[in-house]
Amino acid sequence: MRRLIWIALAVAIVPWLVIGVVNATGNEDRGSAYFVRAIFDNASSLTQGEDVKIAGAAVGVVDGLEVAPGKKAAVVLRIDNEDFTPWHKDATCTIRPQSLIGEKFLECKPGTTAAPKLRKIASGDGEGERYLPVQNNSSPVDLDLLNDTLRLPYRQRLAILLNEFGTGLAGRGDQLNAVIHRANPALKETDDLLAILAKQNKTLARLAKDSDQALGPIARERRHVSGFIVQATATGQATAERATDIQRGIERLPGFLRELRPLMVDLDALAKQGEPVAADLGQAAPSMGPLIKGLGTVSEAGNKSFPSLGDTLETARPDLIRSRPLIRQLGALGKQAKPAVKNLDKLTASLQDTDGIERISDFLYYLTLSTNGFDSIGHYLRAGLVVSSSCSNYSLTPPNSTDCHALFYDPQADAASASVPKTDAAANAPAPDKLATGGTVAPQGSLLQKLIGTPETKAQAQQRDEGLKRLRERSRGASSALRDSEPVLDYLLGGER
């Protein structure tokens, strides 16, 4: 008995548990899906579970059917594909026949993104669902119902309804028109089409006029048009025969375009770089015409000259071969002369930049002016010629005159030293040889004296030292004169002025 009681309790509790699980599962699915509450005038032929399609693709199902206020049909749509959500205010739905046995489905359009999204029902029937009003939906009359109006007794009953309710319908023409348009979407679309055509009536009239002008030449050239159609047919046939190759070429086209892109980039850079060259060629093009014509004349003249030039080259070929060593030597000479040529180039450039040649000419000119005089007779040279037989004649003995003597010693001092008594060695010494220039005696200890081998006296050594002292003084004077002449030399040689 106790076992029967437990079995009865289990049988009573299990259905409630199953119902709770199903409800929980339904609520979970309802929370994850997108629901739309669409209102229709009539949905009698629609059943739960029918497909909801967008552009021919099934995106959801009919989740439920309810009666809405105003004796309308509320169809709850569950959209399972998130790619077709959300819906917008310009969305539409139409009930369509799916097969010959009477099945229906909903064909919908989610609307455009420019329109606002559908309003979500905050409370009441359909809470949490998106509301799609009846104005956006249509439910066409089935063909079998339309055919029933043609048979008895349905056509008689329809006539009675129209007679009985004619007065009531006459006062509600706008609403009846809206119901008829929702019942037959083709009428609504026809009205929309006629409205668009009415707005574009001017454009249509201009199109008709322009089409007459366009069709006139086509009518005159109808043979060419027909020939074009025939050739297009032949081309299409040939294309169809090579469809496989064309398909393969189209498949390879993306790879070819990827490889072509770097080349086009390089060509673009080349075109940009060549734009100035093209502009210059465009400017030089008018002058190229006479040049090309002149080249024609030159080429005609060259037809006679080139053969003789070839003969000349054949004749000169042995000489050119024999001149190779000379050419090599000239090349070596050119390499060796390169530094000197560079310096010479710098010198000539400096002379040219600083007007050095003109300065040298000025120096010669002013030197000539400074060394010449001018009087009533003419020009004369400011120079003196010393004529003396003692200095100009060749002599082996010193002259008696003191007007001409060497700069190395004083003859008077030599004469004074002659009055000093000589030692035995000096008296017995041989007479010194005479210098063969100006009749002067070669100084003792000089290079000539050493070569001759004559001993040097004390007086001669003193004279030699005094002569060397005077020579050093004159060399110092010459050095100072050279230092004073440095600005003049810089001026003449192109230095800083």
Side-chain angles (χ1 to χ4, degrees):
M1 186 66 181
R2 185 178 298 174
R3 183 178 297 174
L4 294 175
I5 294 173
W6 284 108
I7 293 172
L9 290 174
V11 172
I13 293 173
V14 167
W16 288 103
L17 293 176
V18 173
I19 293 172
V21 171
V22 171
N23 290 335
T25 304
N27 292 334
E28 183 179 356
D29 294 341
R30 191 175 184 82
S32 61
Y34 187 87
F35 289 89
V36 178
R37 189 179 184 86
I39 308 300
F40 291 87
D41 289 319
N42 185 10
S44 59
S45 57
L46 194 65
T47 59
Q48 188 175 0
E50 296 291 350
D51 292 334
V52 178
K53 296 182 179 180
I54 295 177
V59 297
V61 295
V62 177
D63 188 71
L65 297 170
E66 300 177 5
V67 178
K71 297 182 180 180
K72 306 293 183 181
V75 181
V76 181
L77 312 180
R78 188 186 70 199
I79 309 301
D80 299 323
N81 194 336
E82 296 180 355
D83 295 335
F84 295 90
T85 59
W87 287 25
H88 301 268
K89 284 190 175 182
D90 56 349
T92 59
C93 286
T94 304
I95 300 175
R96 300 286 188 185
Q98 187 165 352
S99 63
L100 297 177
I101 61 176
E103 285 187 294
K104 305 290 182 180
F105 76 97
L106 279 173
E107 183 180 9
C108 299
K109 296 179 181 179
T112 59
T113 56
K117 297 180 181 179
L118 288 180
R119 177 178 61 87
K120 190 174 184 180
I121 302 175
S123 61
D125 296 336
E127 181 180 356
E129 300 171 351
R130 274 70 178 178
Y131 181 75
L132 186 63
V134 67
Q135 293 81 7
N136 294 42
N137 306 319
S138 62
S139 54
V141 179
D142 293 336
L143 185 60
D144 57 345
L145 298 178
L146 183 60
N147 292 330
D148 287 343
T149 60
L150 302 178
R151 296 183 302 173
L152 292 175
Y154 297 105
R155 63 181 179 184
Q156 294 177 351
R157 296 174 182 175
L158 179 60
I160 294 172
L161 290 174
L162 292 176
N163 290 331
E164 294 295 333
F165 296 101
T167 305
L169 295 175
R172 306 180 65 181
D174 295 337
Q175 297 178 0
L176 179 61
N177 184 33
V179 172
I180 293 173
H181 280 79
R182 287 198 299 271
N184 191 352
L187 296 176
K188 181 180 180 181
E189 295 176 358
T190 302
D191 290 343
D192 295 339
L193 175 61
L194 293 176
I196 294 173
L197 294 177
K199 293 179 180 179
Q200 302 294 332
N201 55 357
K202 294 182 180 180
T203 304
L204 293 174
R206 187 167 56 254
L207 176 62
K209 182 179 179 181
D210 296 341
S211 62
D212 291 339
Q213 297 178 357
L215 292 175
I218 295 176
R220 289 194 302 269
E221 302 294 335
R222 56 183 178 274
R223 292 184 180 179
H224 294 84
V225 175
S226 60
F228 170 75
I229 295 173
V230 172
Q231 296 298 328
T233 303
T235 304
Q237 184 177 358
T239 304
E241 293 176 356
R242 302 295 298 274
T244 304
D245 296 337
I246 294 174
Q247 182 179 1
R248 190 180 298 111
I250 294 174
E251 291 175 355
R252 295 178 180 177
L253 183 61
F256 171 74
L257 293 177
R258 286 193 297 269
E259 296 178 358
L260 183 63
R261 182 175 298 175
L263 176 61
M264 298 306 295
V265 173
D266 296 339
L267 288 177
D268 180 67
L270 177 62
K272 292 180 179 179
Q273 294 177 1
E275 185 176 357
V277 179
D280 295 339
L281 289 177
Q283 295 178 359
S287 302
M288 293 296 292
L291 176 61
I292 294 173
K293 292 180 180 179
L295 288 176
T297 305
V298 173
S299 62
E300 292 177 358
N303 291 333
K304 300 178 181 179
S305 301
F306 286 146
S308 60
L309 180 61
D311 297 337
T312 304
L313 292 176
E314 289 293 334
T315 305
R317 186 171 181 272
D319 297 334
L320 292 175
I321 294 174
R322 287 193 296 270
S323 64
R324 286 180 179 176
L326 177 60
I327 294 173
R328 294 192 185 97
Q329 293 177 4
L330 289 175
L333 176 61
K335 292 180 180 179
Q336 296 176 1
K338 186 176 180 180
V341 172
K342 287 184 177 179
N343 295 331
L344 182 60
D345 178 67
K346 292 180 180 179
L347 176 60
T348 54
S350 176
L351 290 175
Q352 183 178 3
D353 295 339
T354 59
D355 299 333
I357 302 299
E358 295 181 1
R359 302 288 82 79
I360 294 174
S361 300
D362 294 342
F363 171 75
L364 296 176
Y365 175 74
Y366 293 126
L367 179 63
T368 302
L369 293 179
S370 62
T371 57
N372 286 271
F374 180 79
D375 56 8
S376 60
I377 298 175
H379 292 273
Y380 62 90
L381 180 65
R382 289 191 179 97
L385 179 62
V386 178
V387 179
S388 175
S389 60
S390 61
C391 292
S392 60
N393 295 330
Y394 181 81
S395 177
L396 296 177
T397 59
N400 297 324
S401 175
T402 60
D403 295 335
C404 182
H405 56 81
L407 299 177
F408 300 101
Y409 73 100
D410 189 2
Q412 299 296 332
D414 201 9
S417 63
S419 61
V420 180
K422 298 182 180 179
T423 60
D424 295 337
N428 295 327
D433 293 336
K434 306 302 179 183
L435 184 65
T437 302
T440 58
V441 181
Q444 297 292 333
S446 63
L447 179 60
L448 181 61
Q449 188 71 25
K450 290 179 181 179
L451 292 175
I452 295 174
T454 304
E456 183 181 22
T457 62
K458 183 177 181 180
Q460 291 175 345
Q462 185 178 0
Q463 292 177 359
R464 175 175 54 79
D465 294 337
E466 292 178 355
L468 292 176
K469 182 178 180 181
R470 287 194 298 271
L471 180 62
R472 284 194 293 269
E473 292 176 353
R474 293 192 178 188
S475 64
R476 285 194 295 270
S479 299
S480 61
L482 287 176
R483 286 194 298 271
D484 296 338
S485 64
E486 285 181 359
V488 178
L489 293 176
D490 292 340
Y491 176 77
L492 292 176
L493 297 179
E496 295 180 357
R497 289 178 284 175

